[in-house]
Amino acid sequence: MTAAGKRLILAFDFGTRRIGVAVGNELLASARQLEPLPARDGIPDWNVVTRLVEEWQPDLFVVGLPLNMDGSESEMSARARKFGKRLYGRYGKSCEMVDERGSTREAKAIARESGLLRNPAKSYRDDGVDGIAAVLILESWFARQEGLPER
């Protein structure tokens, strides 16, 4: 296991139709989005996840925890936790959950402002922001590690 402060991390924005993915380097506190994983009712193609893990060799997984605005957990919170437990069970690497409240809304704003949406009249289902949300989740985790306030 790589020492804290120098780890490579794969982060996930859990969703039932798509799971956003980002990779980041703890030393640089930088993250970039990867291709989202298609999911069927929240279940990805685990062969694709395995290829990601083999390619990036992460030291840690971070999964966004979709909490209600009052901080309480929802059905999606339980499903995201289950996804995190499956990552740990399959790959034997630690998985940390990160409060992701507001990350999708912020990702949509970033996509709009940067012109990343191919057709603003279409819904975000067509032009997903899952990768941007995964980057925001990972950046929030970096901030927490540094003792900074999260987004």
XYZ file of all heavy atoms in Angstrom, residues 27 32 34-35 43 74 77 80 87 91 120 134-135 146:
109
model
N -0.974 13.358 -3.961
C 0.156 14.262 -3.800
C -0.110 15.605 -4.474
O 0.162 16.666 -3.918
C 1.429 13.631 -4.370
C 2.708 14.442 -4.236
C 3.048 14.655 -2.760
C 3.856 13.740 -4.947
N -9.146 14.029 -12.570
C -9.710 14.190 -13.907
C -10.740 13.107 -14.136
O -10.634 11.997 -13.620
C -8.633 14.187 -14.982
C -7.983 12.865 -15.249
C -6.974 13.014 -16.398
N -6.319 11.773 -16.703
C -6.683 10.957 -17.683
N -7.716 11.223 -18.443
N -6.013 9.837 -17.905
N -12.970 10.291 -16.009
C -12.825 9.194 -16.955
C -14.199 8.931 -17.565
O -15.187 9.545 -17.173
C -12.293 7.943 -16.246
C -10.934 8.081 -15.538
C -10.590 6.797 -14.796
C -9.841 8.437 -16.536
N -14.244 8.010 -18.489
C -15.512 7.652 -19.131
C -16.463 7.069 -18.077
O -16.076 6.191 -17.311
C -15.231 6.613 -20.218
C -16.346 6.402 -21.189
C -16.625 7.610 -22.063
O -15.692 8.369 -22.390
O -17.796 7.801 -22.412
N -26.031 -1.339 -11.117
C -25.014 -2.396 -11.189
C -24.198 -2.204 -12.459
O -24.727 -2.289 -13.567
C -25.671 -3.793 -11.165
C -26.485 -3.954 -9.884
C -24.600 -4.878 -11.287
C -27.367 -5.181 -9.861
N -30.788 8.211 2.507
C -31.926 7.833 1.672
C -31.676 6.435 1.118
O -30.641 5.818 1.385
C -32.040 8.819 0.508
O -30.883 8.712 -0.324
N -28.513 6.476 -0.696
C -27.351 6.405 0.201
C -27.003 4.943 0.476
O -25.832 4.552 0.411
C -27.630 7.096 1.531
O -28.037 8.420 1.361
N -25.450 3.398 -2.605
C -24.071 3.849 -2.810
C -23.139 3.147 -1.822
O -22.024 2.738 -2.185
C -23.969 5.372 -2.657
N -17.003 -2.781 -4.048
C -15.660 -2.431 -4.520
C -14.613 -3.026 -3.576
O -13.646 -3.652 -4.016
C -15.483 -0.908 -4.590
C -16.170 -0.179 -5.731
C -16.117 1.329 -5.502
C -15.556 -0.543 -7.073
N -12.019 -6.021 -4.746
C -10.646 -5.598 -5.038
C -9.762 -5.464 -3.801
O -8.566 -5.213 -3.933
C -10.661 -4.292 -5.841
C -11.522 -4.433 -7.077
C -12.764 -3.797 -7.151
C -11.129 -5.240 -8.139
C -13.579 -3.962 -8.261
C -11.942 -5.404 -9.252
C -13.162 -4.764 -9.308
O -13.968 -4.940 -10.403
N -27.953 22.193 -25.051
C -28.529 22.606 -23.771
C -30.033 22.361 -23.664
O -30.568 22.295 -22.577
C -28.222 24.105 -23.708
C -27.090 24.300 -24.647
C -27.239 23.264 -25.728
N -17.950 13.200 -10.268
C -16.941 12.340 -9.639
C -15.677 13.147 -9.316
O -15.065 12.963 -8.256
C -16.608 11.152 -10.541
N -15.291 14.060 -10.214
C -14.139 14.935 -9.945
C -14.419 15.795 -8.716
O -13.565 15.938 -7.834
C -13.822 15.819 -11.182
C -12.864 16.946 -10.812
C -13.232 14.978 -12.305
N -6.814 17.593 3.682
C -5.962 18.740 3.995
C -6.523 19.583 5.131
O -5.952 20.618 5.475
C -5.771 19.600 2.746
C -5.022 18.884 1.637
C -4.989 19.670 0.340
O -5.247 20.888 0.359
O -4.699 19.071 -0.709
